[in-house]
Amino acid sequence: MKSDAEQLLKEKNIKITANRILVLDVFLKNTHTLSLADIELALPWADRATIFRTLKTFEEKALLHSIKDDDKSVKYALCSNTCQVNHHRIHPHFHCDICGNTVCLTGFDIPILKLPDNYKANNYSLMINGICEKCQKQ
Amino acid sequence: MKSDAEQLLKEKNIKITANRILVLDVFLKNTHTLSLADIELALPWADRATIFRTLKTFEEKALLHSIKDDDKSVKYALCSNTCQVNHHRIHPHFHCDICGNTVCLTGFDIPILKLPDNYKANNYSLMINGICEKCQKQ
DNA sequence: AGTTTGAATGCAACTTAATTGCAAAATCAA
DNA sequence: TTGATTTTGCAATTAAGTTGCATTCAAACT
Ligand SMILES: [Mn+2]
Ligand SMILES: [Mn+2]
Ligand SMILES: [Zn+2]
Ligand SMILES: [Zn+2]
């Protein structure tokens, strides 16, 4: 009987290790994006370099995608089934200016611009800043 | 007889100094976005901290806006007249994956998404990655 | 089960960009 | 000219990300 994390790792052809299971579990238990520092907080005994390389591996294997918001550090989120190896991030992201959380807007499409012929577009990324539901109520 | 840079500084209520004129001149002579390191290269005698604070001041006064592309360092570009203090970046940006240059797509609008009521959007930023005109010809 | 082998890990050191403190210099208005 | 305020230069520091290397581990193969 394998855990969800183990299943996912197997599906993505990532070798199963204790570290990877636990890092992935952190993502499975959270709804918003997480930075390397967030993972360090969640797994205080874990080594930063190991977490770093774990995130890189996960991104490369399309288990996570990375997001740059206005914060200083890169954040990561679980890929949806629309993410492919070497082609991530087809949905917009929302960054709350108050609490600093960033979430995936899965289910929303990034509107595609018609650019002149001299531009060849490979990837669109749309970041929306504003105030999240939680912070509006406060 | 004031230079273009001096005019601009005056318009934006930024005190005129030698450093500021020369940093602004670098932007006026370039079509693509520039990082702090780029300015250091263009003005080798200038001090990094001074350039840093100059860029911050320019951004705050809506003379420059900052852009985060896939490169490690933040880039800056001249604001168009649509930029306001505390409300930058209303056009998309294009980052070439080959040469690494990033340009403003002024004249293109960022399509606005209809988000659920529980999200309050203040700012949209759209980054398009791909291959620029120059690099396609090579 | 024991052996082998390439991959993953832990630790420490390093890189890089961004950022700050502070004293000296420059600006500007009175 | 003087005094208050802002900007500058230099050096030191922060913070995130990244790497080298010896050791350990996972899993495939006797
Ligand atoms: Mn996402
Ligand atoms: Mn721009
Ligand atoms: Zn919030
Ligand atoms: Zn190019």
Side-chain angles (χ1 to χ4, degrees):
Chain A
M1 175 69 195
K2 285 196 188 333
S3 68
D4 288 356
E6 283 175 275
Q7 287 292 0
L8 262 172
L9 291 171
K10 181 152 257 181
E11 280 171 31
K12 298 284 184 174
N13 290 308
I14 302 166
K15 197 183 283 186
I16 293 171
T17 70
N19 277 285
R20 288 170 174 178
I21 292 171
L22 291 164
V23 170
L24 181 47
D25 271 336
V26 178
F27 281 96
L28 291 170
K29 286 182 189 135
N30 273 277
T31 59
H32 61 270
T33 64
L34 299 166
S35 65
L36 193 158
D38 292 329
I39 308 293
E40 280 190 275
L41 281 176
L43 307 174
W45 47 265
D47 179 72
R48 189 188 320 127
T50 302
I51 301 173
F52 171 76
R53 287 185 277 228
T54 298
L55 295 173
K56 287 289 178 197
T57 301
F58 284 5
E59 185 179 20
E60 185 166 332
K61 299 296 185 103
L63 179 51
L64 295 179
H65 58 280
S66 62
I67 302 116
K68 287 187 169 189
D69 58 25
D70 286 343
D71 293 347
K72 37 290 164 207
S73 56
V74 177
K75 297 177 180 175
Y76 294 85
L78 286 170
C79 286
S80 53
N81 51 1
T82 48
C83 272
Q84 307 285 329
V85 173
N86 294 324
H87 195 244
H88 285 277
R89 247 178 316 183
I90 22 31
H91 54 259
H93 295 96
F94 184 90
H95 175 74
C96 177
D97 291 326
I98 294 177
C99 66
N101 279 345
T102 297
V103 294
C104 294
L105 296 177
T106 47
F108 290 82
D109 288 321
I110 298 178
I112 298 302
L113 285 189
K114 173 88 188 120
L115 296 179
D117 290 340
N118 46 344
Y119 293 99
K120 174 163 165 33
N122 289 329
N123 203 291
Y124 285 67
S125 73
L126 176 62
M127 174 65 67
I128 304 171
N129 277 72
I131 301 172
C132 77
E133 185 175 24
K134 244 187 251 167
C135 290
Q136 274 183 71
K137 290 179 181 161
Q138 287 163 11
Chain B
M1 175 72 196
K2 284 195 187 334
S3 69
D4 288 356
E6 284 175 274
Q7 287 292 359
L8 262 171
L9 291 170
K10 181 152 255 181
E11 279 171 31
K12 298 284 185 175
N13 290 308
I14 301 166
K15 199 181 283 186
I16 293 171
T17 70
N19 277 286
R20 287 170 176 177
I21 291 172
L22 291 164
V23 170
L24 181 48
D25 270 337
V26 178
F27 281 96
L28 291 171
K29 287 183 189 133
N30 273 278
T31 59
H32 61 272
T33 63
L34 299 167
S35 65
L36 194 157
D38 292 328
I39 308 294
E40 281 191 273
L41 282 175
L43 306 173
W45 46 265
D47 180 70
R48 189 187 318 128
T50 302
I51 301 173
F52 171 77
R53 287 185 277 227
T54 298
L55 294 173
K56 288 291 179 194
T57 301
F58 284 5
E59 186 179 19
E60 185 166 330
K61 299 296 185 105
L63 178 52
L64 295 179
H65 58 280
S66 63
I67 302 116
K68 288 186 168 189
D69 57 26
D70 286 345
D71 293 346
K72 37 288 163 206
S73 55
V74 178
K75 298 177 179 174
Y76 294 85
L78 286 171
C79 287
S80 53
N81 52 1
T82 48
C83 271
Q84 306 286 329
V85 174
N86 294 324
H87 195 244
H88 285 277
R89 245 177 319 182
I90 21 32
H91 55 259
H93 294 98
F94 185 89
H95 175 74
C96 177
D97 292 326
I98 294 178
C99 65
N101 279 347
T102 297
V103 294
C104 295
L105 297 176
T106 47
F108 290 82
D109 287 322
I110 298 177
I112 298 303
L113 285 189
K114 173 86 188 125
L115 296 179
D117 290 339
N118 46 344
Y119 293 98
K120 174 163 164 34
N122 290 329
N123 203 290
Y124 285 67
S125 73
L126 177 62
M127 174 65 67
I128 304 172
N129 277 73
I131 301 173
C132 77
E133 185 175 24
K134 244 188 251 167
C135 290
Q136 275 183 71
K137 289 181 183 161
Q138 289 163 9

